[in-house]
Amino acid sequence: TGEGKSTTVSMLSAIKALSYKIMKNYKDAKIDIVTSSPVLAKRDAEEHKGFYNILGLTVDHNDDEISYVSGIK
């Protein structure tokens, strides 16, 4: 509804990943964001990719569009 929830989650996940990289010396810190909407997962990953890249982080989604579109309803 345009309240900034996705942006807030992106910022917090970036802070968490960077803190793992800096404080715990993890080179490949992985942060999972769970959502019930594969459509929003893909949209947010694409929209926030530049933000994560600026911080030296990567982002991706793991939704299965084929099952979501043609699966059991």
Side-chain angles (χ1 to χ4, degrees), residues 3-18:
E3 298 162 350
K5 295 181 290 289
S6 296
T7 301
T8 302
V9 169
S10 295
M11 290 188 297
L12 293 173
S13 65
I15 290 168
K16 181 100 171 162
L18 291 172

Side-chain angles (χ1 to χ4, degrees), residues 4-70:
K5 295 181 290 289
S6 296
T7 301
T8 302
V9 169
S10 295
M11 290 188 297
L12 293 173
S13 65
I15 290 168
K16 181 100 171 162
L18 291 172
S19 70
Y20 277 174
K21 287 177 91 169
I22 294 168
M23 303 298 276
K24 297 185 179 193
N25 202 20
Y26 293 156
K27 294 181 182 177
D28 295 322
K30 294 185 190 298
I31 307 297
D32 292 322
I33 300 171
V34 179
T35 179
S36 60
S37 172
V39 174
L40 293 179
K42 182 177 180 182
R43 180 203 73 183
D44 290 349
E46 291 171 356
E47 283 186 6
H48 294 111
K49 189 174 228 168
F51 167 71
Y52 289 115
N53 288 339
I54 288 170
L55 299 171
L57 303 171
T58 58
V59 62
D60 205 350
H61 62 86
N62 66 349
D63 67 336
D64 183 2
E65 294 173 353
I66 295 169
S67 294
Y68 182 72
V69 172
S70 64

